[in-house]
Amino acid sequence: MAQKPNVENRWWVETTFKKPKKAKSETEMPQLPVAMAFYQVARDYDQDRAKEDLTDNNLRIAREANPPQGDWAYVAMTEQHAPPNVIKRVKDEFRIPREARGIVIDHGRVVRLLICGPQLEDWMLDITLGEEPSVDAYVWSVMYRERIFRRAEDALRQARKWAINLLQFPPPRDEPFRGSLLV
C-alpha cells in the first residue's frame, strides 16, 4: 500500500524557512554618481501624473502655446537652444498652411514641430528633426501613423502633404479614422 503524502515526501512543498530581507537605508546604499542622480530626479515621482502627461503631453504643450491659425509659436524645453537660423530654416521649409497652427519645440540638439488642425484637438502631426527624422500623425489624440525618414527635408515635405490632406478632409469625431488619407 502506498504511503500517504506528508510534508516529508512532498518534494514540491517548500520546507525551508526564509527570513525576510532587511531593507537597506539610504546611507547603506552604494553611492554611484549616475544612478544617484537618477534616483534624486525620480524621488517623489508621481506615476499616475506621469501616465497622464505621457498621453496628452503634445496636446498640453499646444494648448499652452496656443498659436494663431497660419502662424507659429515657439516653446523652449531646455536651457540649451537650437541656433536661430536653424529655427528659421525649419519654419521656412515647412510653410504652414493658413488654416493650421504650428509650434516649434526646441530641445536644444533636437527640434520638433507640432502641426495642429484649426482646432487643436482635431489632429496633430509631431515632426521630430533629429538623427532619425520622423512624423507621427494623431487624430483625436490617438496615433494613427508613424513614419521614419532618412532626411529632415523628406519628413517636412511628407508632413506638409499630410497636413493639407487633413485640412481638406477633416476626420469626423464620431467616425473611426483609419489613416487612409495619409498616403
Side-chain angles (χ1 to χ4, degrees):
M1 185 169 158
Q3 219 179 10
K4 273 185 142 180
N6 58 32
V7 174
E8 287 79 27
N9 65 9
R10 291 184 192 173
W11 56 269
W12 64 88
V13 175
E14 181 83 37
T15 58
T16 57
F17 177 73
K18 293 183 180 177
K19 290 192 284 183
K21 292 183 180 180
K22 180 184 166 192
K24 293 182 180 180
S25 69
E26 283 189 33
T27 56
E28 294 175 36
M29 299 293 278
Q31 298 298 315
L32 304 170
V34 174
M36 294 310 289
F38 176 75
Y39 177 72
Q40 292 300 322
V41 168
R43 182 186 298 257
D44 300 324
Y45 183 70
D46 183 357
Q47 187 104 15
D48 292 329
R49 172 65 193 261
K51 196 166 44 173
E52 289 174 22
D53 286 349
L54 181 65
T55 56
D56 69 349
N57 191 38
N58 284 347
L59 187 55
R60 185 174 47 81
I61 290 170
R63 284 180 180 147
E64 287 178 16
N66 196 22
Q69 280 191 350
D71 210 355
W72 296 96
Y74 174 84
V75 176
M77 298 298 277
T78 61
E79 291 180 17
Q80 180 185 4
H81 301 292
N85 62 332
V86 170
I87 301 295
K88 182 183 179 328
R89 181 176 171 211
V90 166
K91 288 167 141 182
D92 291 345
E93 184 79 28
F94 186 81
R95 294 184 346 265
I96 191 165
R98 71 172 173 257
E99 299 88 6
R101 301 163 182 248
I103 301 120
V104 176
I105 303 175
D106 187 350
H107 293 275
R109 292 180 15 184
V110 175
V111 174
R112 289 176 47 224
L113 302 178
L114 294 180
I115 309 302
C116 309
Q119 302 300 316
L120 298 175
E121 295 81 11
D122 293 353
W123 57 267
M124 182 177 297
L125 300 176
D126 182 354
I127 308 159
T128 303
L129 304 173
E131 289 180 23
E132 197 171 57
S134 66
V135 180
D136 301 337
Y138 297 86
V139 176
W140 301 112
S141 299
V142 176
M143 180 190 269
Y144 279 98
R145 187 88 189 258
E146 178 183 36
R147 189 160 164 206
I148 297 173
F149 298 86
R150 291 180 196 233
R151 300 174 341 128
E153 293 82 5
D154 297 336
L156 290 169
R157 196 172 305 112
Q158 185 63 59
R160 181 163 166 72
K161 288 178 186 176
W162 285 356
I164 290 170
N165 266 337
L166 287 165
L167 286 167
Q168 289 175 345
F169 307 101
R173 185 164 180 84
D174 55 351
E175 184 179 307
F177 179 78
R178 304 271 184 244
S180 59
L181 299 176
L182 305 179
V183 220

